[in-house]
Amino acid sequence: MGISIWQLLIVLGIVILLFGTKKLRNIGTDLGGAIRGFKKSMSDDEQKSADPESLEGQQEKQTQAEEKPREKQS
């Protein structure tokens, strides 16, 4: 009891009739661009945190130093 190729083709035909090929192409382009942007931002974030000389790496070090409790001075 699965979906046959003919059922998939009928559903695809109905979707094309409802939305049109131009609208479907725009949706695909937008979705691809969003995924590409997400992957790029994830890889940029990993590179910045791995690079200690970057501005974000310096900010992370500074916040970690501030979070450490200060020892009492006598």
Side-chain angles (χ1 to χ4, degrees), residues 19-68:
F19 295 109
T21 56
K22 185 176 180 181
K23 179 104 173 171
L24 290 175
R25 187 179 312 123
N26 289 341
I27 291 171
T29 303
D30 292 342
L31 183 62
I35 292 172
R36 200 174 309 117
F38 178 75
K39 286 182 180 179
K40 183 177 184 272
S41 66
M42 290 297 293
S43 66
D44 287 347
D45 187 38
E46 289 174 1
Q47 289 174 356
K48 286 179 182 176
S49 64
D51 184 16
E53 298 299 320
S54 71
L55 182 60
E56 287 185 0
Q58 292 173 358
Q59 288 175 347
E60 287 177 9
K61 285 181 182 178
Q62 185 178 11
T63 55
Q64 288 174 356
E66 290 173 358
E67 291 174 357
K68 291 181 182 177

Side-chain angles (χ1 to χ4, degrees), residues 10-23:
I10 290 171
V11 170
L12 180 64
I14 292 171
V15 169
I16 289 174
L17 286 174
L18 288 175
F19 295 109
T21 56
K22 185 176 180 181
K23 179 104 173 171

